[in-house]
Amino acid sequence: MGYASKSPWVIHYDGSSCNGCDIEVLAALCPGFDVERFGIINTGNPKHADIFLVTGSVNERNIAVVKQIYEQMVEPKVVIACGICACTGGIFHDCYNVIGGVDKVIPVDVYAPGCAVRPEAIIDAVVQGIGILEEKSKALQAAKKGA
Amino acid sequence: MWLITDKFLFTLLGTVVFAVLAPIVGCLLAGLERKVSARMQGRVGPPLLQPYYDVRKLIAKDDVTVSGVDGIYMTCALIFVAFAGGIFFSGGNLLMSAFIVTMAALFFIMAAYSSRSPFAELGAGRESLQVMSYEPMVLLMAVCFFMASGSFNIGEAFWLRMPVICYTIPAFIGFLFVLTIKLRKSPFDLSTSHHAHQELVRGTTTEMSGKTLAKVEIMHWCETVLFLGWAGVFFIWGNPVSIVIAVVVALATWFLEIWIDNNFARVKWQAMLKWAWIVALVCGGINIVLLAFI
Ligand code: SF4
């Protein structure tokens, strides 16, 4: 295992979530689940983050924000859609302003469905995301060497 | 008597040794901090080597920079910290060590300013305020050390009959107070927080990523080792046992800092500046007056 998988720093963005999934994301950081055991830190700064956790769907107002956060993150990076809203739009899918899941704007690597998504599901998704992060990191190293 | 070139070479050797050992010790201290903090919050916490994993990951990240010069500024900061540590641990001048480590802080501030980001600039401004807050007390601490031991040289402490702390308890307490500011720990983590969120995103390090951020982490490790060394040297006298005591004191100081970090909420910069100067004047002033009359 490389170092990318041992210290995945997370940034969490609330699209148009009902806050149900946000609470679950934060619950994963609390003593009950304590994801810091795996080196996961909630950074709040896209430039420091490796994993982008999005809750809630994308709408006309936040589409630029989601894009910008994604672009500011430094490679290698992974996007995880948390909750059914972030995956497909969920119960808000036919709202007048909702565009749909996060994958309408940025490439999503892992989908964690659920309404609200359970902390266990988030942890599972992050672990899966770590595997992808590791692959991307290796690809980046190889590209650097080749260049 | 030592020749000046001998002394220079010795300091240089100390710098190299410090540059190799301090990151290792500092990394372990940082890991210990994360573990102890987690336990204080009822969590299990990350592995002891987590800070090392973090830095290795940051080094492997892609190179992205806003200004193109922040990495160079951080390299300079690292060199100055190593030099300050080298001076101190090779038994050199305490005052010089204090000045040079401030140079490192200034380069850190420059690195933050260079990004032109409003968050980083505000963080840099606050970091400058932190330097203004702790510097008087650090100087008075060095002066008290001089008055108690008869020299600014750390090496002389190993010939004393009584440790410096016997004469400098107020100055030591004052130093412990500003140490929290110097280590950028809550309640004085105004410029950049070690923890997740703050109102300035991440303050000074907002625009730093990858290797530059790794340098910031390593600088923190080295600074921690140096400052804890300062705390320990107060307990050194002409007895080899005192080295053990100094190490224990340094570790106890570290634990105290972690405890403070976990138990106090951030204050405003006005309060920090006011209290740091009041503590410097009262603790440092009283101590100097006392020493002048002993
Ligand atoms: S998936 Fe359910 S809980 Fe999560 S944001 Fe959507 S509606 Fe709320």
Side-chain angles (χ1 to χ4, degrees):
Chain A
M1 280 224 297
Y3 293 103
S5 58
K6 283 187 170 164
S7 124
W9 292 359
V10 159
I11 180 166
H12 166 218
Y13 177 73
D14 170 359
S16 30
S17 152
C18 76
N19 269 186
C21 289
D22 303 318
I23 300 292
E24 301 299 331
V25 167
L26 295 177
L29 291 160
C30 287
F33 296 96
D34 186 27
V35 289
E36 204 193 349
R37 281 177 295 157
F38 313 114
I40 298 173
I41 293 181
N42 188 9
T43 63
N45 181 356
K47 298 227 164 144
H48 296 183
D50 307 293
I51 296 182
F52 188 11
L53 290 182
V54 197
T55 52
S57 55
V58 177
N59 59 37
E60 300 291 349
R61 296 292 287 176
N62 70 20
I63 187 162
V65 181
V66 173
K67 251 191 214 154
Q68 197 181 17
I69 294 177
Y70 181 74
E71 276 158 14
Q72 284 194 349
M73 287 172 67
V74 182
E75 290 285 355
K77 57 190 168 188
V78 162
V79 179
I80 299 178
C82 288
I84 203 68
C85 287
C87 295
T88 63
I91 55 165
F92 301 116
H93 71 97
D94 55 359
C95 246
Y96 65 96
N97 62 335
V98 166
I99 299 171
V102 181
D103 51 7
K104 291 269 184 337
V105 198
I106 53 174
V108 172
D109 297 282
V110 185
Y111 296 87
C115 176
V117 56
R118 296 193 60 80
E120 291 93 334
I122 299 177
I123 294 174
D124 279 352
V126 169
V127 168
Q128 219 181 328
I130 286 171
I132 300 171
L133 195 64
E134 186 68 36
E135 275 166 33
K136 287 191 178 176
S137 173
K138 281 211 185 92
L140 185 76
Q141 295 304 326
K144 263 189 191 169
K145 275 198 191 109
Chain B
M1 265 322 261
W2 278 36
L3 288 174
I4 221 79
T5 46
D6 276 356
K7 225 169 173 176
F8 182 71
L9 282 178
F10 196 59
T11 308
L12 218 57
L13 186 73
T15 307
V16 173
V17 172
F18 182 82
V20 174
L21 290 185
I24 299 173
V25 178
C27 173
L28 290 175
L29 283 173
L32 201 66
E33 175 191 5
R34 299 233 341 231
K35 266 236 114 66
V36 173
S37 290
R39 289 290 151 86
M40 283 179 181
Q41 297 163 8
R43 295 186 288 114
V44 177
L48 185 64
L49 284 180
Q50 189 60 44
Y52 173 71
Y53 301 148
D54 291 348
V55 162
R56 284 301 298 261
K57 172 205 73 179
L58 287 172
I59 291 171
K61 292 283 271 187
D62 207 4
D63 296 315
V64 175
T65 163
V66 183
S67 65
V69 292
D70 52 357
I72 299 163
Y73 279 130
M74 280 319 300
T75 307
C76 293
L78 266 181
I79 291 171
F80 275 102
V81 172
F83 199 42
I87 291 173
F88 178 81
F89 284 101
S90 65
N93 196 311
L94 178 61
L95 199 57
M96 190 59 120
S97 169
F99 280 139
I100 289 184
V101 84
T102 304
M103 279 302 290
L106 295 183
F107 272 105
F108 181 43
I109 293 170
M110 291 300 290
Y113 268 127
S114 72
S115 72
R116 298 285 173 113
S117 144
F119 298 118
E121 283 201 359
L122 263 173
R126 289 187 183 182
E127 179 72 27
S128 320
L129 281 164
Q130 287 187 210
V131 173
M132 267 176 65
S133 303
Y134 62 64
E135 211 58 8
M137 187 62 234
V138 171
L139 293 187
L140 292 182
M141 182 236 358
V143 170
C144 289
F145 184 87
F146 170 79
M147 291 174 82
S149 72
S151 165
F152 277 119
N153 283 352
I154 298 298
E156 306 285 330
F158 288 93
W159 304 105
L160 294 174
R161 282 202 296 155
M162 298 261 268
V164 174
I165 187 73
C166 295
Y167 310 99
T168 57
I169 291 173
F172 187 71
I173 293 171
F175 172 66
L176 286 184
F177 184 85
V178 295
L179 191 62
T180 317
I181 309 178
K182 252 181 129 43
L183 290 171
R184 307 178 186 88
K185 289 208 174 300
S186 181
F188 303 120
D189 55 347
L190 293 126
S191 66
T192 178
S193 168
H194 294 285
H195 308 296
H197 290 285
Q198 71 167 35
E199 78 281 16
L200 291 185
V201 186
R202 205 56 193 250
T204 31
T205 60
T206 303
E207 300 297 328
M208 298 179 193
S209 59
K211 291 192 185 66
T212 311
L213 193 61
K215 285 178 202 162
V216 175
E217 289 296 316
I218 296 171
M219 185 185 84
H220 284 321
W221 298 347
C222 296
E223 279 181 336
T224 310
V225 174
L226 176 58
F227 299 153
L228 293 182
W230 288 1
V233 82
F234 277 82
F235 293 81
I236 293 283
W237 76 96
N239 183 342
V241 179
S242 65
I243 296 176
V244 178
I245 297 176
V247 171
V248 171
V249 167
L251 288 177
T253 309
W254 186 230
F255 186 79
L256 177 74
E257 288 301 327
I258 297 171
W259 183 80
I260 293 173
D261 192 31
N262 272 292
N263 282 287
F264 293 91
R266 181 182 301 142
V267 296
K268 289 185 183 154
W269 69 264
Q270 289 92 337
M272 174 185 70
L273 193 62
K274 188 174 81 188
W275 280 106
W277 282 45
I278 288 175
V279 166
L281 284 177
V282 172
C283 291
I286 289 178
N287 209 156
I288 287 177
V289 172
L290 279 179
L291 282 168
F293 283 105
I294 288 176

